[in-house]
Amino acid sequence: MRKKIVAGNWKMNKTFAEGITLTNEIIDGLKNSQHQCDQVILCTPFLHLQKVSELCNEEYVLHTAAQNCHTENSGAYTGEISAFMIQSVGATHVLVGHSERRMYNAENNSMLAKKVDIALANQLTVVFCCGESLEIRNAGNHIAFVNEQIESSLFHLSKEAFKNIVIAYEPIWAIGTGLTASKEQAQEMHFQIRAKLNSGYGEEIANETSILYGGSCNAQNAKELFSQPDVDGGLIGGASLKAADFLTIIQSF
Ligand code: PGA
């Protein structure tokens, strides 16, 4: 059975103290509520990662992720953080290929393939982000575009390695815009991604890989999106910054 996952991507938000407060609110909320979620992942800024990892407790299905890692383990790369360092503070996951990093940091498919490799080599589970711009969707090329992102950055992996991949489909036009993909648009793409995984790795991997939806997913629309057969949860930006909203999303399966 593939996992139901809700991941909160804090992006560049929250002071250290605010991040710890939010984490404690989420932990309290999880203790006092029922939900069907298998994993809740807090994708915090690097600064918060060690403390939040200490607070996270698998009993409450909580894990932590970095939002990025470098392509190398160590070296003269001023200002960078490696997968080796990320796992050393207790984080278990890392986002790779978020569209904001593709856009603002010129991350391309081949660089992302290297990040995937180094993350897996450091025992981190990769949440691999993909998704098309509005222009690409309007031209009818969204499925081919996303398939290409997946093939270029992931399809060199062995079947065994692929078991440590989670996919997050995030249409760029829906991120932070308040425009959400309709449940039909999300289901169509998730179905196509699963078909792509099937073509590369066979039915077992296709059925076992969690595919999350991201892009203005919130406490109001999560239930509808998560009810789709190929949507296994969400990667949540803005709505993950308030414990009450995030907890509602976790309870939306
Ligand atoms: P959003 O961001 O929920 O604020 O649209 C999602 C993401 O970028 O991961």
Side-chain angles (χ1 to χ4, degrees):
M1 272 285 279
R2 56 185 183 253
K3 292 189 178 80
K4 296 186 175 83
I5 301 172
V6 171
N9 178 10
W10 296 0
K11 307 193 181 185
M12 195 175 72
N13 291 297
K14 303 286 179 192
T15 63
F16 183 75
E18 288 167 352
I20 302 313
T21 301
L22 175 60
T23 305
N24 283 322
E25 286 169 358
I26 292 166
I27 292 170
D28 284 347
L30 289 173
K31 273 185 200 166
N32 297 316
S33 64
Q34 298 284 325
H35 62 84
Q36 308 294 321
C37 195
D38 298 310
Q39 264 184 9
V40 177
I41 306 168
L42 303 181
C43 313
T44 80
F46 291 127
L47 269 182
H48 304 58
L49 216 45
Q50 177 174 9
K51 184 68 185 166
V52 176
S53 298
E54 281 167 20
L55 295 172
C56 284
N57 182 332
E58 294 211 13
E59 201 180 321
Y60 304 118
V61 301
L62 272 171
H63 297 260
T64 48
Q67 299 170 13
N68 174 44
C69 67
H70 196 264
T71 53
E72 303 293 329
N73 271 335
S74 62
Y77 302 101
T78 302
E80 295 291 338
I81 302 275
S82 73
F84 184 56
M85 295 152 84
I86 291 165
Q87 62 85 22
S88 79
V89 296
T92 51
H93 293 64
V94 61
L95 300 184
V96 173
H98 191 282
S99 63
E100 286 153 13
R101 294 210 55 90
R102 292 177 189 259
M103 199 168 9
Y104 304 132
N105 299 80
E107 296 195 354
N108 58 37
N109 290 341
S110 59
M111 180 197 289
L112 296 175
K114 288 190 194 149
K115 293 193 177 199
V116 167
D117 288 344
I118 202 122
L120 294 178
N122 284 288
Q123 288 78 48
L124 295 171
T125 296
V126 169
V127 180
F128 180 78
C129 306
C130 54
E132 81 288 353
S133 65
L134 192 56
E135 202 181 8
I136 291 170
R137 175 164 282 265
N138 287 342
N141 294 332
H142 48 295
I143 293 168
F145 182 83
V146 168
N147 279 345
E148 172 60 23
Q149 287 182 320
I150 290 174
E151 185 162 339
S152 310
S153 300
L154 297 178
F155 270 28
H156 62 286
L157 295 175
S158 69
K159 207 169 177 174
E160 208 41 45
F162 211 94
K163 293 181 179 162
N164 297 307
I165 301 291
V166 172
I167 303 226
Y169 167 60
E170 300 202 298
I172 296 169
W173 47 272
I175 295 178
T177 58
L179 280 179
T180 318
S182 67
K183 62 182 195 306
E184 291 82 10
Q185 286 171 320
Q187 170 55 24
E188 180 201 35
M189 186 60 94
H190 284 228
F191 176 84
Q192 293 294 342
I193 291 172
R194 216 175 287 291
K196 179 74 185 166
L197 301 188
N198 195 357
S199 76
Y201 291 94
E203 211 171 323
E204 190 197 338
I205 291 287
N207 285 335
E208 291 296 307
T209 304
S210 297
I211 307 176
L212 315 183
Y213 169 79
S216 299
C217 182
N218 58 38
Q220 285 74 46
N221 60 28
K223 215 178 197 119
E224 186 173 63
L225 288 159
F226 295 178
S227 70
Q228 298 306 297
D230 287 299
V231 177
D232 305 310
L235 177 54
I236 319 298
S240 73
L241 298 174
K242 285 200 187 120
D245 287 357
F246 192 56
L247 288 161
T248 303
I249 295 168
I250 293 166
Q251 289 157 11
S252 297
F253 291 101

